[in-house]
Amino acid sequence: MAGRDATSDDRTPEVRGSSSRRRVLRLAGGGLALVALTAGTAGCDEDAVDVEEPGGAGGDEPNGGGEGSGDGKKGQAPEPLWTESTSAETYGDNDELVAAGGVVIASGSPLAALDPSTGEQKWSLPGGAVPGAPLLLGGDTLYLASSEYDGSVIGYDPATGKETWRSRLGKEYRQPRPIAVDGEQVYVIAEILEDDGSSKTNVIAALNSTTGRVAWKEQRDVGTEQNGIHAAVRGRRLVYTDFKKNLTVRDTAGGGQVWTHRTTKTNYGSFTVHRDLVIVPQGNVLQAFNLADGKEKWSLEASDGALFREPAVLEDVLYAADSARVMRAVDPRTGKQLWKSDALADAGLQVPRQYVKAGDTLYGATDLDKQGGIIAMDASTGKVRWTFNDKTGDYHAWLVATDGKRVFALHGKQLHALPA
């Protein structure tokens, strides 16, 4: 998956059914909510699904495919190149698994970087990643909230795990977490401390990615939350959503608010940005707004009252599925539908909530639903090629990332490498 940077269109958020379950996990910021969810996740232990040759996935092991064969054999999921147990602590956000700098990293403590070709550990950080905070990639740097909870934000070389940058917002702020990065600044959200050590408000700030100095900071309105923020940067615009159903755009130079919209149903913050547009799912409608002024550019309505799920723009194509399991490819500039597919519904598969693309294959990761996993689709038609499920019965959402040669699938603490 691409990081939240200034040039990549690969999102999916902040980036949400089962969205309510992920929201509980993110709000909890720890393991208590996971225990509470366990009772509601019986039935998650599903076999891998063989779409084009029914019954072929019924064995105890993932379906066989040769290395380098993204299509597997006769429609079956390829066999993993390797599978490793990790220290992963995930809460359903797309930025908890990244492939960059010749390594693949799953959020956890300790934070470990694995060799993408073998699964062997290349480095680790004892403190690890702060639960619920993103693995934020910008340029050649991996930005993390400090696991020491000392108010620092730290940059690391993802290839080596060595610290390359550090900044502190100030002692009057607590738990700054990076939310977005561009070529000049790292953007963070932090609690504002009261005299008694409590916090009722929060601040959004920009840190210079060279010097670490505070470029600007702006207090957010009373009642807003520092949790559940999904953000992206494009040019001079910082875009973010939150649990309060606010869609806000700020100027990256000074932090001033350019415009804000009160949204309806946003999958708890999911959106994507393409060029000068921000595209937001709102119930049964996808809406695109101009970044400059917030005016609607186009909208696309799902049929039969279905609700849109998380969208993603990959290589100038917008991909989005709805709750009726209809998959669409859309021109993100105009909202014109390029293709529409019922393959997910025909195969009895669940709806992806995160996407990556390698070659001519679109890979989708599902949520907590039955027969979930990684779904490989023809990027030009939406036809399902195969699905992969590790059959562990783990109730965590699936996450997916790619380095172009391999597809990495994280499910609970199991990380699988599949040939792309």
Side-chain angles (χ1 to χ4, degrees), residues 49 147 311 324 355 370:
V49 178
S147 60
Y355 304 91
K370 295 179 180 180

Side-chain angles (χ1 to χ4, degrees), residues 357-370:
K357 188 172 181 286
D360 63 355
T361 304
L362 178 69
Y363 299 91
T366 70
D367 206 338
L368 317 177
D369 304 305
K370 295 179 180 180

Side-chain angles (χ1 to χ4, degrees), residues 49-68:
V49 178
D50 181 352
V51 174
E52 297 185 16
E53 190 178 19
D60 292 333
E61 298 298 328
N63 293 307
E67 181 171 353

Side-chain angles (χ1 to χ4, degrees), residues 41 47 67 95 97 100 107 113 116 123 136 185 194 228 237 240 249 295 312 322 326 342 359 361 368 417:
T41 55
D47 290 350
E67 181 171 353
D95 44 26
L97 177 69
S107 180
W123 57 260
L136 186 65
Q185 297 177 148
E194 303 289 335
R237 295 292 181 262
Y240 58 93
V249 175
K295 293 182 179 178
D322 63 34
V326 174
D342 295 318
T361 304
L368 317 177

Side-chain angles (χ1 to χ4, degrees), residues 325-366:
R325 293 184 280 190
V326 174
M327 188 77 199
R328 292 175 176 82
V330 177
D331 184 337
R333 299 167 299 177
T334 64
K336 180 181 178 181
Q337 188 167 279
L338 302 177
W339 54 256
K340 178 180 176 181
S341 172
D342 295 318
L344 294 175
D346 292 343
L349 299 174
Q350 296 306 311
V351 179
R353 44 159 290 277
Q354 182 195 9
Y355 304 91
V356 298
K357 188 172 181 286
D360 63 355
T361 304
L362 178 69
Y363 299 91
T366 70

Side-chain angles (χ1 to χ4, degrees), residues 11 95 111 194 405 418:
R11 278 189 53 91
D95 44 26
L111 187 69
E194 303 289 335
K405 298 179 181 179
L418 304 171

Side-chain angles (χ1 to χ4, degrees), residues 100-394:
V103 297
V104 57
I105 308 170
S107 180
S109 180
L111 187 69
L114 305 184
D115 186 307
S117 60
T118 66
E120 295 180 358
Q121 182 175 295
K122 297 190 73 171
W123 57 260
S124 68
L125 297 175
V130 173
L135 303 178
L136 186 65
L137 287 170
D140 297 325
T141 304
L142 172 67
Y143 295 96
L144 301 175
S146 172
S147 60
E148 299 295 327
Y149 295 93
D150 59 359
S152 297
V153 177
I154 308 172
Y156 299 90
D157 178 354
T160 65
K162 295 186 181 300
E163 182 178 324
T164 58
W165 179 90
R166 181 182 287 257
S167 178
R168 290 197 67 186
L169 186 58
K171 62 181 181 180
E172 64 270 36
Y173 304 101
R174 180 170 58 194
Q175 297 182 347
R177 296 188 178 193
I179 58 171
V181 60
D182 59 22
E184 298 180 357
Q185 297 177 148
V186 182
Y187 303 90
V188 301
I189 290 281
E191 299 175 347
I192 301 174
L193 288 174
E194 303 289 335
D195 292 339
D196 61 0
S198 65
S199 178
K200 301 176 183 176
T201 54
N202 61 89
V203 65
I204 187 166
L207 309 174
N208 186 285
S209 58
T210 301
T211 66
R213 294 175 180 170
V214 178
W216 53 259
K217 55 180 181 287
E218 293 286 333
Q219 182 172 330
R220 299 178 68 217
D221 293 341
V222 174
T224 58
E225 300 175 6
Q226 67 273 13
N227 295 315
I229 299 292
H230 292 243
V233 186
R234 188 68 75 246
R236 285 193 57 178
R237 295 292 181 262
L238 170 65
V239 189
Y240 58 93
T241 56
D242 59 30
F243 284 158
K244 295 294 185 179
K245 299 181 180 178
N246 297 307
L247 172 63
T248 303
V249 175
R250 290 184 181 270
D251 180 78
T252 59
Q257 185 169 290
V258 179
W259 57 266
T260 186
H261 277 326
R262 187 73 172 169
T263 59
T264 52
K265 297 179 180 179
T266 62
N267 287 334
Y268 299 108
S270 167
F271 70 91
T272 189
V273 174
H274 178 70
R275 298 186 183 180
D276 60 347
L277 297 176
V278 53
I279 303 165
V280 185
Q282 301 204 70
N284 71 329
V285 176
L286 271 179
Q287 284 184 292
F289 301 99
N290 279 317
L291 281 174
D293 54 19
K295 293 182 179 178
E296 183 180 297
K297 180 69 177 294
W298 58 259
S299 66
L300 178 66
E301 187 172 345
S303 58
D304 301 323
L307 306 180
F308 277 108
R309 298 292 303 274
E310 293 87 335
V313 176
L314 303 171
E315 299 180 2
D316 293 328
V317 177
L318 170 67
Y319 298 99
D322 63 34
S323 58
R325 293 184 280 190
V326 174
M327 188 77 199
R328 292 175 176 82
V330 177
D331 184 337
R333 299 167 299 177
T334 64
K336 180 181 178 181
Q337 188 167 279
L338 302 177
W339 54 256
K340 178 180 176 181
S341 172
D342 295 318
L344 294 175
D346 292 343
L349 299 174
Q350 296 306 311
V351 179
R353 44 159 290 277
Q354 182 195 9
Y355 304 91
V356 298
K357 188 172 181 286
D360 63 355
T361 304
L362 178 69
Y363 299 91
T366 70
D367 206 338
L368 317 177
D369 304 305
K370 295 179 180 180
Q371 295 185 336
I374 303 300
I375 305 173
M377 295 165 277
D378 187 321
S380 62
T381 65
K383 179 181 178 181
V384 175
R385 292 176 168 170
W386 49 259
T387 67
F388 171 79
N389 188 288
D390 58 12
K391 301 190 298 180
T392 63
D394 195 292

